[in-house]
Amino acid sequence: MPSNDVPGDPHPYVGMWVTEDGCIRQELLPNGRYDEARGNRRSAYTGRYTVTGSHLDYVDDTGFTATGDVRDGVLFHEHLVLHREDAPRARRGARP
């Protein structure tokens, strides 16, 4: 997280993000870590992330790197399009 974030005040991107079909669920945790589930595979990918403006940089625990950008309340993470879990376009039925 950027150093100008106030401790105890979570970043607005913290929370659960999910693909429209519900198959991929990415939780951005307030401690700068993420946990991504794919289908029935919980914690398929875990690692850390940093936020600079609306841009996210990810480093998987295996060392793999990826990026994302939030535009108009939608998280574009590499080839994925994720919405807030409570957004109308996100399906909760596919949660593992």
Side-chain angles (χ1 to χ4, degrees):
M1 295 299 215
S3 60
N4 60 351
D5 281 352
V6 177
D9 189 17
H11 191 280
Y13 299 160
V14 166
M16 185 66 74
W17 296 81
V18 59
T19 55
E20 194 168 334
D21 64 4
C23 287
I24 299 174
R25 304 176 57 78
Q26 185 181 94
E27 185 172 15
L28 300 179
L29 302 166
N31 63 356
R33 303 262 318 151
Y34 72 91
D35 189 314
E36 183 173 301
R38 297 210 168 203
N40 291 329
R41 188 172 164 213
R42 295 175 187 256
S43 300
Y45 298 99
T46 58
R48 65 186 189 279
Y49 72 95
T50 56
V51 178
T52 306
S54 61
H55 180 81
L56 289 87
D57 288 297
Y58 296 84
V59 180
D60 181 281
D61 288 338
T62 66
F64 178 81
T65 61
T67 62
D69 291 285
V70 176
R71 296 189 303 271
D72 297 323
V74 177
L75 173 56
F76 296 89
H77 172 64
E78 298 297 332
H79 66 281
L80 302 173
V81 178
L82 299 109
H83 303 272
R84 287 285 194 177
E85 181 177 41
D86 57 357
R89 296 185 73 169
R91 283 190 29 199
R92 295 183 220 181
R95 185 175 190 157

